[in-house]
Amino acid sequence: MSPLHNLSEETLILLLKKKNQQAFSYLYDNYADALYGVVRRIVTSVEHAEEVIQDVFVKIWKHVDHFDAEKGRLYTWMINIARNAALDYRKSKGAKNELKNQPLSNIVNREEELDRSQNERNARADFIGFKNVLDNLKPECRILIEMAYYEGYTQQEIAQQLDIPLGTIKTRTKAAFLHLKKLLKEYR
């Protein structure tokens, strides 16, 4: 067991800001699977998702000094980095070309792979209990958060996908995030 096995978040952040290698290893060991789950929901290719997660941890290491505990928890900050890196990759020219050049069999196999790995992703993300928090939301709120946050859809795209007026999506999304924020505060 690592000598850092029972670190408080404050101590972990302090050690990371001092560029402590053991603290970074601890961070990776304890959060990589959950962050990978976020990335994998957005980036379709396992190979590219692994590249993105490496980039995420490089960004965390380089920019940990920008973390502000007054604005939120370390895990939330890292999820935002992971999500943004995954969305940046998905919007990149290389990712768009990759999707255009896939044979139909790859698309079908990808859907089957995503279905099989759904339980695994949920288990990885749930070690922090986030799935339990999401499960406390109404289904119509949960789907909006999943589409916006994990799948990277814009509000316009969500409105089109769900065939709901954009104004309604904006109102429901705001309410969903406010409710999620309240649940997360209670979860602490």
Side-chain angles (χ1 to χ4, degrees):
M1 184 171 276
S2 166
L4 303 176
H5 68 280
N6 279 332
L7 280 182
S8 69
E9 185 170 293
E10 294 86 17
T11 304
L12 177 60
I13 294 164
L14 181 64
L15 290 170
L16 289 169
K17 288 183 177 186
K18 291 180 179 181
K19 303 297 183 194
N20 181 290
Q21 291 285 336
Q22 281 186 306
F24 186 73
S25 292
Y26 173 87
L27 183 82
Y28 185 86
D29 292 344
N30 287 281
Y31 293 96
D33 284 345
L35 295 179
Y36 180 78
V38 171
V39 169
R40 190 69 174 94
R41 289 183 83 158
I42 298 169
V43 177
T44 58
S45 159
V46 171
E47 178 183 327
H48 292 108
E50 289 171 356
E51 289 175 20
V52 170
I53 202 68
Q54 287 178 2
D55 183 48
V56 166
F57 277 94
V58 168
K59 287 178 180 178
I60 291 169
W61 179 254
K62 286 183 176 180
H63 302 290
V64 71
D65 289 330
H66 298 289
F67 172 73
D68 183 357
E70 295 293 317
K71 293 182 180 178
R73 304 209 42 174
L74 178 64
Y75 181 70
T76 306
W77 180 75
M78 292 188 306
I79 283 182
N80 283 322
I81 291 172
R83 178 182 173 273
N84 291 338
L87 291 173
D88 288 347
Y89 172 78
R90 196 168 105 178
K91 292 175 185 175
S92 73
K93 195 174 199 174
K96 288 180 182 176
N97 286 337
E98 172 192 329
L99 290 174
K100 286 179 188 174
N101 295 327
Q102 282 189 24
L104 183 58
S105 62
N106 284 4
I107 295 168
V108 172
N109 291 341
R110 180 191 169 279
E111 291 301 319
E112 290 172 359
E113 177 188 327
L114 287 175
D115 288 342
R116 279 193 312 270
S117 65
Q118 182 68 38
N119 289 338
E120 182 183 321
R121 280 195 316 264
N122 287 343
R124 277 196 305 251
D126 196 39
F127 90 89
I128 58 137
F130 192 68
K131 184 180 179 318
N132 292 337
V133 174
L134 277 180
D135 286 345
N136 286 319
L137 292 174
K138 294 178 187 174
E140 60 270 17
C141 292
R142 187 173 53 246
I143 190 73
L144 293 175
I145 289 175
E146 288 175 350
M147 289 179 78
Y149 199 78
Y150 289 117
E151 297 174 31
Y153 286 101
T154 64
Q155 289 182 330
Q156 180 69 41
E157 292 168 333
I158 294 170
Q160 290 169 347
Q161 286 275 331
L162 300 178
D163 196 27
I164 296 174
L166 179 59
T168 304
I169 293 296
K170 288 182 177 186
T171 301
R172 287 182 185 174
T173 302
K174 182 177 180 180
F177 277 109
L178 288 172
H179 190 139
L180 181 61
K181 184 177 180 180
K182 179 182 173 208
L183 290 172
L184 287 171
K185 281 184 181 178
E186 292 170 2
Y187 184 74
R188 283 186 183 184

